[in-house]
């Protein structure tokens, strides 16, 4: 093997660890990228390892279908991950076919579990290359149980459009601080301006080096994720509670609107990231580490934003691992948590105050069903219908009930999947 190929082995080994973490529910890719073995790689190797893992996860269903046709029985997990990695390199990244095969065989020989399968790895990958790239069939792109749920909720045609987004690498969306020079930033970042005011760009690399980062002119936030905070319509001086606030994009929006914000989250580590962004943007908010359902504080608020813990199936564009880590029982257990926090939030509202509930989930139990159950048990709360186009939402996302069901394909270039509803306390 050439020195050039050997130079890429640490990144490929790291990619295997990321894939294993994502598919074994061992914390997922984000946790795995914080591990020492990954952080000690050179920046270029870290970027390559992450790109490799994401390519596998975005194309996992079609790759596994192609592999299963060439495997009489499933090999050990490490071997299967090696085959997936080799296929993703050959078909979905700018890696020569010979390098995709050779590095996979080399990695197979580097571990006692996979060493006896070097010949299998070589033969299967060469066979795949002869067959040609497998088609990205959207019906294979999500786990079957989850794809079936989407068909039941949205119909087969829409489920297929949702799943077609899984294989696509997303753009980066930015929310701007009020007063930022939108035209100048759009030109400097080569970005387009979206409805609602977000910027969308295809720029790659470390965001800390992008124009406007150091002076706090913007923060990274998906266009769909930016909509719920706008629906609150906060005014300067409003007392606002942001529940389950981390990583903090919505907190920054509320603080930038002039509200007096309390940002609460049960994770101190995630709140630290929020606090760092507050410093960078020159914005202020009170941060509280607590469980939103049982927070011991007597204050009431003019507006509350609840971005509730959820299955996060709508975030697959940037986090494809959520699709493969999720299990059918997760949705029901999370819906129970959401109901408890919703009731706790309603109890903290002043009369006439507003509550926006949202989840980055595509599952109706966490969205539409949650709204109906909440209204049935809370006679002191009323649904406050959202208007067409409000908050920069695509017209197609508005439901007959006056809530938002934001689907990934409803915006050119895609968006995260979200559900949002607004209530008012009577």
């Amino acid at each position: 093997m050439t020195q050039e190929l050997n130079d890429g082995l640490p990144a490929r080994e790291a990619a295997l660890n990321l894939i294993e973490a994502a598919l074994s529910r061992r914390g997922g890719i984000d946790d795995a990228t914080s591990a020492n073995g990954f952080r000690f790689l050179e920046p270029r190797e870290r970027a390559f390892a992450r790109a490799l893992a994401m390519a596998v996860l975005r194309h996992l269903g079609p790759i596994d279908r192609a592999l299963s046709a060439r495997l009489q029985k499933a090999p050990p997990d490490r071997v299967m991950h090696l085959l997936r990695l080799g296929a993703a390199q050959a078909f979905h990244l700018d890696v020569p076919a010979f390098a995709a095969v050779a590095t996979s065989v080399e990695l197979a020989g580097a571990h006692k579990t996979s060493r006896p399968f070097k010949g299998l790895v070589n033969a299967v990958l060469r066979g795949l290359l002869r067959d040609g790239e497998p088609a990205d069939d959207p019906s294979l792109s999500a786990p079957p149980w989850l794809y079936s749920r989407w068909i039941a909720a949205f119909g087969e045609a829409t489920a297929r459009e949702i799943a077609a987004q899984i294989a696509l690498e997303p753009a980066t969306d930015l929310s701007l601080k009020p007063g930022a020079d939108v035209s100048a930033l759009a030109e400097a970042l080569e970005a387009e301006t979206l409805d609602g005011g977000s910027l969308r760009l295809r720029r790659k690399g470390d965001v800390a080096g992008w124009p406007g980062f150091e002076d706090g002119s913007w923060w990274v936030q998906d266009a769909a994720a930016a909509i719920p905070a706008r629906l609150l319509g906060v005014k300067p001086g409003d007392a606002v509670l942001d529940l389950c606030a981390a990583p903090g994009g919505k907190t920054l929006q509320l603080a930038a609107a002039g509200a007096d914000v309390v940002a609460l989250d049960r994770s101190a580590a995630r709140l630290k990231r929020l606090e760092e962004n507050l410093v960078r943007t020159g914005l202020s908010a009170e941060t509280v580490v607590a469980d939103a359902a049982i927070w011991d504080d007597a204050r009431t608020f003019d507006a509350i934003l609840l971005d509730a813990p959820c299955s996060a199936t709508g975030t697959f564009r940037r986090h494809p691992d959520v699709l493969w880590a999720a299990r059918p029982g997760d949705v029901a257990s999370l819906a129970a948590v959401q109901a408890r926090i919703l009731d706790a939030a309603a109890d903290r509202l002043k009369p006439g105050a507003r509550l926006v509930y949202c989840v980055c989930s595509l599952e109706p139990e966490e969205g539409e069903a949650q709204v109906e159950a909440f209204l049935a048990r809370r006679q002191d709360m009323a649904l406050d219908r959202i208007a067409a186009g409000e908050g920069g939402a695509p017209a197609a996302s508005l439901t007959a009930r006056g809530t938002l069901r934001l689907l990934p394909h409803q915006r050119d270039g895609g968006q995260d999947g979200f559900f949002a509803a607004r209530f008012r306390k009577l």
Side-chain angles (χ1 to χ4, degrees):
M1 175 172 289
T2 66
Q3 184 62 40
E4 180 182 359
L5 294 184
N6 276 306
D7 287 344
L9 290 180
R12 288 173 168 87
E13 184 68 48
L16 283 178
N17 291 334
L18 296 182
I19 295 164
E20 197 277 331
L23 298 182
S24 68
R25 306 191 87 197
R26 202 189 66 215
I29 280 188
D30 284 345
D31 284 357
T33 55
S34 300
N36 285 343
F38 189 85
R39 290 190 294 112
F40 291 155
L41 293 173
E42 294 294 324
R44 181 176 57 85
E45 292 179 315
R46 287 201 300 270
F48 184 43
R50 188 175 178 89
L52 288 169
M54 296 298 273
V56 168
L57 294 169
R58 287 196 174 108
H59 303 277
L60 186 63
I63 285 175
D64 278 4
R65 169 68 68 86
L67 288 172
S68 67
R70 290 193 159 270
L71 292 168
Q72 293 183 344
K73 63 178 183 177
D77 285 348
R78 177 180 169 86
V79 177
M80 192 67 186
H81 297 333
L82 278 168
L83 291 170
R84 291 163 168 157
L85 188 62
Q89 290 178 79
F91 295 134
H92 302 296
L93 294 172
D94 189 21
V95 174
F98 80 90
V101 175
T103 53
S104 299
V105 173
E106 183 78 4
L107 287 170
H111 194 280
K112 63 181 181 181
T113 302
S114 52
R115 195 172 299 131
F117 296 88
K118 284 178 65 175
L120 176 75
V121 170
N122 182 61
V124 169
L125 288 179
R126 289 184 182 278
L128 280 189
L129 290 171
R130 287 193 298 271
D131 294 341
E133 180 179 342
D136 265 326
D137 181 350
S139 69
L140 301 176
S141 294
W145 71 270
L146 195 53
Y147 189 69
S148 295
R149 287 178 61 89
W150 296 348
I151 291 174
F154 309 115
E156 188 161 5
T158 297
R160 193 171 180 86
E161 288 186 281
I162 293 170
Q165 295 285 323
I166 296 170
L168 306 180
E169 186 175 358
T172 299
D173 297 338
L174 308 178
S175 289
L176 304 186
K177 186 178 174 182
D181 189 330
V182 179
S183 298
L185 281 171
E187 182 176 355
L189 293 164
E190 300 179 69
E192 63 172 312
T193 304
L194 305 179
D195 291 342
S198 296
L199 292 186
R200 171 160 291 184
L201 54 154
R202 290 287 175 181
R203 180 184 285 249
K204 307 278 188 193
D206 185 359
V207 299
W210 295 0
F213 178 85
E214 286 198 4
D215 60 13
S217 295
W218 51 260
W219 54 91
V220 176
Q221 186 177 31
D222 187 82
I227 292 170
R230 298 181 191 135
L231 299 177
L232 268 182
V234 300
K235 305 181 298 297
D238 279 353
V240 179
L241 176 61
D242 186 5
L243 289 173
C244 311
K250 299 176 183 66
T251 300
L252 297 176
Q253 288 178 277
L254 298 169
D260 296 326
V261 183
V262 176
L264 181 146
D265 199 276
R266 66 186 306 169
S267 169
R270 282 163 57 83
L271 273 180
K272 187 174 187 300
R273 284 180 55 197
L274 189 159
E275 291 164 349
E276 290 168 352
N277 274 318
L278 286 169
V279 172
R280 180 177 65 83
T281 56
L283 298 169
S284 62
E286 176 188 347
T287 56
V288 177
V289 180
D291 184 328
I294 57 173
W295 181 38
D296 184 17
D297 191 294
R299 283 177 286 180
T300 56
F301 296 86
D302 300 305
I304 296 178
L305 177 60
L306 169 56
D307 186 354
C310 69
S311 61
T313 51
T315 67
F316 63 69
R317 294 164 61 250
R318 288 177 179 81
H319 305 286
D321 49 316
V322 302
L323 300 176
W324 304 99
R327 296 293 182 270
D330 295 346
V331 175
S333 60
L334 286 163
V337 172
Q338 293 150 12
R340 288 198 300 273
I341 301 177
L342 252 175
D343 283 332
D347 291 340
R348 297 184 182 279
L349 288 169
K350 297 176 182 178
R354 306 171 304 286
L355 166 65
V356 168
Y357 167 79
C358 65
V359 284
C360 53
S361 166
L362 296 171
E363 314 316 309
E365 295 93 326
E366 300 180 88
E368 293 86 348
Q370 198 68 258
V371 166
E372 301 309 324
F374 178 64
L375 291 172
R377 68 177 180 269
R378 296 294 304 226
Q379 303 304 309
D380 58 337
M381 299 295 298
L383 190 65
D384 187 2
R385 293 177 63 90
I386 298 165
E390 192 174 350
S397 66
L398 185 64
T399 72
R401 192 78 163 96
T403 60
L404 292 181
R405 171 51 76 187
L406 296 143
L407 298 177
H409 67 285
Q410 288 173 339
R411 188 186 298 272
D412 288 344
Q415 63 181 3
D416 281 356
F418 258 85
F419 174 85
R422 184 171 57 201
F423 305 94
R424 189 174 296 275
K425 190 157 191 177
L426 303 176

